[in-house]
């Protein structure tokens, strides 16, 4: 029957281009959809995603008379919550094709030898309050909520589960999730080898989280201290290593690396998220924002040397406990790399 000519069946694919806007001190995520047609909807690659533009005058990234900004795709994730869907993470260029000032990803050179695991804490919010807060007053004090189970104390698990599956389907290295100390507060951990990969993955995971919550009529609060009073704030501990830390094998080498961070403490704090002073108080397992310290197994230190690193013969990773939940991971990753390179 056949005449030797095969006709490819083209399929529609939805690409959600996401980027960071120009708001200060922290950017918001923006996204919009374009449709492309391809032969294999299950195998769309970054090369298939062309540059696109958006109205920068609506995102605090341009004036009205030169409003076009350019989206340059840098990473692609499959989006299992959307039929034939992908999320395309982009850098922003100005109308001339130059790096836009809001483009924090492009301000430093990548290091594939650096591995980072972010511990992203956040609150699920409804009507401006953490999920589980009554209309008036406050729920029972902190104590039972951390790693809890049961509808009266664990709030919003269906969103956490849905987000977890979407991230794993997308190839994002989520290594765990847990309910946190305050009611409605949760955490996911996100690991990747390669500094920019780790930061890209965290932004994509945040995007998926906000969209999943939206589908349930909720929003995500990344502020490091959204509820005043005796309620835990949210942080974003950054666990990091390079070959030197992974293979040190010597207390002196590890401590010398920690010492590099002492004279640049203020420079780190400056990019570790706004309102972080409300969280880094010296209480609730934090060091004070004005003080730099490090120590083995010390959760009250700025940098913790995990006991596992010591037991493993001073080989492993370090935990920078200072970053706030709202910090831009590109700024954190870039700053840690700069200090390690110094
Ligand atoms: Mg935590």
């Amino acid at each position: 029957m056949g005449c030797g000519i095969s006709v490819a069946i083209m399929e529609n694919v939805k690409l959600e281009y996401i980027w960071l806007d120009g708001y200060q001190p922290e950017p918001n995520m923006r996204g919009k959809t374009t449709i492309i047609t391809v032969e294999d909807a299950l195998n769309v690659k970054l090369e298939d995603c062309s540059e696109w533009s958006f109205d920068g005058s609506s995102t605090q990234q341009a004036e009205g008379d030169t409003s076009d900004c350019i989206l340059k795709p840098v990473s692609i994730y499959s989006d299992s919550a959307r039929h034939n869907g992908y999320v395309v993470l982009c850098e922003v260029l100005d109308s001339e094709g130059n790096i836009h000032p809001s483009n924090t990803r492009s301000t430093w050179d990548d290091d594939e030898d650096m591995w980072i695991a972010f511990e992203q804490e956040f609150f699920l919010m409804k009507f401006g309050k953490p999920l589980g807060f009554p209309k008036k007053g406050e729920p029972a004090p902190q104590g039972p909520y951390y790693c809890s189970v049961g509808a009266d104390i664990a709030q919003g698990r269906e969103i956490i589960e849905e987000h977890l599956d979407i991230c794993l389907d997308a190839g994002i290295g989520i290594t765990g999730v847990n309910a946190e100390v305050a009611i409605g507060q949760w955490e996911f951990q996100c690991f990747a080898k390669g500094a920019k990969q780790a930061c890209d993955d965290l932004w994509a995971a945040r995007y998926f989280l906000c969209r999943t919550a939206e589908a349930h009529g909720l929003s995500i609060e990344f502020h490091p201290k959204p509820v005043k009073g005796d309620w835990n704030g949210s942080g974003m501990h950054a666990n990091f290593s390079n070959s030197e830390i992974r293979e040190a094998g010597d207390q002196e080498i590890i401590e010398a690396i920690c010492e590099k961070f002492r004279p640049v403490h203020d420079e780190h704090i400056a990019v570790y998220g706004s309102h972080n002073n409300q969280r880094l108080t010296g209480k609730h397992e934090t060091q004070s924002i004005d003080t730099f310290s490090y120590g083995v197994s010390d959760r009250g230190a700025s940098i913790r040397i995990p006991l596992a690193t010591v037991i493993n013969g001073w080989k492993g990773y370090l935990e920078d406990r200072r970053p706030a939940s709202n910090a831009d991971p590109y700024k954190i990753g870039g700053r840690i790399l700069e200090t390690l390179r110094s």
Side-chain angles (χ1 to χ4, degrees), residues 119 121 146 178 180 187 189 237:
E119 301 174 29
E121 294 180 336
Y146 172 72
N178 61 272
E180 267 301 338
E187 168 180 318
Q189 301 105 36
H237 301 156

Side-chain angles (χ1 to χ4, degrees), residues 62-77:
E63 299 298 326
D65 53 351
T66 52
S67 63
D68 276 354
C69 287
I70 296 163
L71 293 172
K72 177 188 161 195
V74 293
S75 196
I76 184 167
Y77 301 88

Side-chain angles (χ1 to χ4, degrees), residues 113 241-250 253-254 313-316:
D113 182 49
S241 68
N242 56 16
S243 294
E244 197 187 4
I245 299 169
R246 289 191 291 273
E247 294 157 17
D250 185 335
I253 294 174
I254 293 291
W314 295 90
K315 297 176 184 178

Side-chain angles (χ1 to χ4, degrees), residues 276-325:
N276 206 8
N277 58 314
Q278 296 173 27
R279 170 184 158 260
L280 295 180
T281 59
K283 294 175 192 160
H284 298 111
E285 299 178 11
T286 68
Q287 177 54 284
S288 158
I289 197 165
D290 307 317
T291 306
F292 176 81
S293 66
Y294 61 88
V296 173
S297 200
D298 185 357
R299 286 185 160 76
S302 314
I303 291 181
R304 178 175 68 100
I305 304 170
L307 192 58
T309 297
V310 178
I311 288 172
N312 197 34
W314 295 90
K315 297 176 184 178
Y317 66 96
L318 297 170
E319 180 191 36
D320 192 338
R321 297 179 59 80
R322 297 169 294 175
S325 46

Side-chain angles (χ1 to χ4, degrees), residues 146-217:
Y146 172 72
C147 296
S148 59
V149 61
D152 50 340
I153 43 180
Q155 298 280 331
R157 187 186 303 276
E158 66 279 13
I159 294 152
I160 305 305
E161 290 292 321
E162 212 174 302
H163 172 250
L164 176 59
D165 283 338
I166 291 169
C167 285
L168 292 176
D169 289 346
I172 294 171
I174 303 287
T175 58
V177 297
N178 61 272
E180 267 301 338
V181 175
I183 194 165
Q185 187 187 31
W186 292 81
E187 168 180 318
F188 66 83
Q189 301 105 36
C190 188
F191 169 78
K193 296 180 179 180
K196 283 202 183 173
Q197 182 78 59
C199 300
D200 289 347
D201 287 1
L202 183 68
W203 273 119
R206 282 179 175 181
Y207 175 81
F208 284 129
L209 179 64
C210 292
R211 201 192 57 191
T212 305
E214 176 194 319
H216 291 263

Side-chain angles (χ1 to χ4, degrees), residues 31-210:
K32 60 175 185 164
T33 303
T34 187
I35 309 298
I36 61 169
T37 53
V38 297
E39 281 182 32
D40 183 1
L42 296 177
N43 199 24
V44 176
K45 300 212 161 28
L46 193 59
E47 307 85 86
D48 302 317
C49 307
S50 51
E51 290 188 349
W52 199 14
S53 63
F54 68 96
D55 169 16
S57 71
S58 297
T59 60
Q60 300 205 351
Q61 282 164 306
E63 299 298 326
D65 53 351
T66 52
S67 63
D68 276 354
C69 287
I70 296 163
L71 293 172
K72 177 188 161 195
V74 293
S75 196
I76 184 167
Y77 301 88
S78 66
D79 183 354
S80 59
R82 216 174 180 194
H83 179 63
N84 287 353
Y86 291 83
V87 161
V88 181
L89 181 69
C90 298
E91 283 190 11
V92 174
L93 310 178
D94 67 17
S95 56
E96 322 249 274
N98 301 310
I99 291 164
H100 192 275
S102 65
N103 183 344
T104 51
R105 186 183 189 274
S106 67
T107 55
W108 47 280
D109 293 327
D110 198 9
D111 183 352
E112 297 199 345
D113 182 49
M114 184 163 163
W115 302 354
I116 311 177
F118 291 107
E119 301 174 29
Q120 175 74 69
E121 294 180 336
F122 58 91
F123 280 80
L124 296 171
M125 305 290 283
K126 189 160 195 174
F127 306 129
K129 288 182 169 186
L131 196 61
F133 264 58
K135 274 190 182 150
K136 283 186 181 169
E138 294 203 343
Q142 287 186 168
Y145 308 120
Y146 172 72
C147 296
S148 59
V149 61
D152 50 340
I153 43 180
Q155 298 280 331
R157 187 186 303 276
E158 66 279 13
I159 294 152
I160 305 305
E161 290 292 321
E162 212 174 302
H163 172 250
L164 176 59
D165 283 338
I166 291 169
C167 285
L168 292 176
D169 289 346
I172 294 171
I174 303 287
T175 58
V177 297
N178 61 272
E180 267 301 338
V181 175
I183 194 165
Q185 187 187 31
W186 292 81
E187 168 180 318
F188 66 83
Q189 301 105 36
C190 188
F191 169 78
K193 296 180 179 180
K196 283 202 183 173
Q197 182 78 59
C199 300
D200 289 347
D201 287 1
L202 183 68
W203 273 119
R206 282 179 175 181
Y207 175 81
F208 284 129
L209 179 64
C210 292

